[in-house]
Amino acid sequence: HKMIDRKNIRELNHLSLREPKNVNTLPSDSSGQEGDIVHLVNKKNMSVLEQHVKKDGRWYNLLTGRPSLDKQKVRRFVKSKLK
């Protein structure tokens, strides 16, 4: 099991062809429809724009291919592997 799933990232990028919405907070998994895309400004670094897409009822971060609502510990681990 890879932390960064390249196949999943390709599928998510395919969905990213839809018109995105700009948001201030990440939507919950219960909101939005399949294939919806949101742009979220990273509050810690205002120059970073995160792109998330809804797939299979969950929001995914397009950079990592991981669920957007991963726990902080998991996000830090994945971020260390991306460097």
Side-chain angles (χ1 to χ4, degrees):
H1 166 30
K2 295 183 212 174
M3 285 307 293
I4 300 173
D5 183 350
R6 299 290 179 199
K7 180 178 182 286
N8 195 35
I9 290 173
R10 283 194 302 273
E11 290 174 10
L12 296 173
N13 281 328
H14 174 72
L15 289 174
S16 72
L17 298 175
R18 291 189 177 184
E19 188 68 32
K21 297 176 187 172
N22 294 323
V23 296
N24 295 324
T25 58
L26 188 63
S28 66
D29 284 339
S30 62
S31 67
Q33 296 180 9
E34 185 75 9
D36 281 355
I37 301 161
V38 295
H39 287 161
L40 176 68
V41 174
N42 184 322
K43 292 175 185 170
K44 294 180 182 174
N45 182 351
M46 298 302 272
S47 65
V48 174
L49 183 68
E50 297 177 357
Q51 192 172 26
H52 301 263
V53 66
K54 180 100 181 235
K55 179 179 180 251
D56 299 328
R58 296 179 82 181
W59 287 99
Y60 287 87
N61 184 313
L62 285 178
L63 176 64
T64 65
R66 300 279 311 155
S68 300
L69 299 176
D70 271 347
K71 301 280 187 226
Q72 181 66 28
K73 184 176 181 179
V74 174
R75 285 197 305 264
R76 276 195 302 256
F77 177 78
V78 170
K79 185 178 179 182
S80 72
K81 297 299 180 187
L82 289 174
K83 291 182 179 180

